[in-house]
Amino acid sequence: MEMKRCPNGHFYDQSKSAECPYCQGGSANANVTVPLGGAAGGVGPTVPVRPAGNMPPQGQPQGMPPQGIPGQNGMGAGAVPSYAGVEEDSPTIGLYSKKVGIDPVVGWLVCVEGKDKGNDYRIHADNNFIGRSERMDICVHGDGTISRDNHAVISYDSMEKVYYFSSGGGRNIVRVNGKVVISGSILLQPYDRIKIGNTVLVFIPLCGEEFDWENEQ
């Protein structure tokens, strides 16, 4: 066996193929390999660069055949096959949202003190992470004393129909109605005043005993 490495890094048997069969779009059953390791210039352990026949790659669950194989079924060489039943990464769906079919607002926080005074922030079911970052569920832009990520959390429990507030990993402590919240969660009441950094937010609920989105179906 006379192994040769093409300019693209593929190893192939030169006695069987004059040119790299992978680069030339050869058969899906061709034993074309790529290096996993080994001494420089040598041929180390290898794995197929594409599945043989209709078998899924190593680690791919059985029963999920590829939609196409590079070089076959109209797919060009070097294309990445997709597998039926494999979902792309996506945001986690809340239990309440799945139950009611939408992700509705369940309450609000309204800024009454701080640089964002007058702004309101929607609360959704389950956990709402509060911080300065755009990644947060509730993003308070103007206050530099609020941590970027997970300074605090406000939650709506759709089973008990109650709201909770808890401290996150923020540098500065948080308060509800002037009392420090250090560990654990506290039950929120309508119009409680939440202080995070130099910002004060008033809590205004929508859902509860008198209204719930499940009853609007």
Side-chain angles (χ1 to χ4, degrees), residues 23-78:
C23 295
Q24 297 299 316
S27 168
N29 293 319
N31 189 25
V32 184
T33 57
V34 293
L36 286 179
V43 179
T46 59
V47 293
V49 297
R50 53 189 168 190
N54 290 326
M55 292 298 293
Q58 185 177 2
Q60 178 67 34
Q62 298 291 333
M64 293 184 179
Q67 300 291 345
I69 294 180
Q72 296 182 356
N73 300 332
M75 294 183 66

Side-chain angles (χ1 to χ4, degrees), residues 69-101:
I69 294 180
Q72 296 182 356
N73 300 332
M75 294 183 66
V80 178
S82 59
Y83 291 86
V86 179
E87 298 181 359
E88 295 183 358
D89 190 23
S90 59
T92 303
I93 300 173
L95 293 174
Y96 187 72
S97 302
K98 186 173 183 180
K99 185 183 298 184
V100 301

Side-chain angles (χ1 to χ4, degrees), residues 94-163:
L95 293 174
Y96 187 72
S97 302
K98 186 173 183 180
K99 185 183 298 184
V100 301
I102 55 175
D103 187 17
V105 61
V106 300
W108 298 268
L109 293 176
V110 179
C111 181
V112 296
E113 291 183 28
K115 292 185 177 180
D116 292 334
K117 183 176 181 178
N119 287 352
D120 66 296
Y121 309 91
R122 292 182 176 184
I123 302 170
H124 295 269
D126 302 312
N127 294 326
N128 298 260
F129 296 95
I130 305 172
R132 210 171 69 251
S133 169
E134 296 284 352
R135 296 189 299 270
M136 297 295 97
D137 301 294
I138 296 175
C139 173
V140 184
H141 291 94
D143 191 347
T145 62
I146 295 177
S147 297
R148 292 186 60 81
D149 299 314
N150 304 343
H151 195 127
V153 184
I154 186 168
S155 309
Y156 175 63
D157 182 348
S158 59
M159 294 185 63
E160 299 293 333
K161 295 181 171 55
V162 292
Y163 298 79

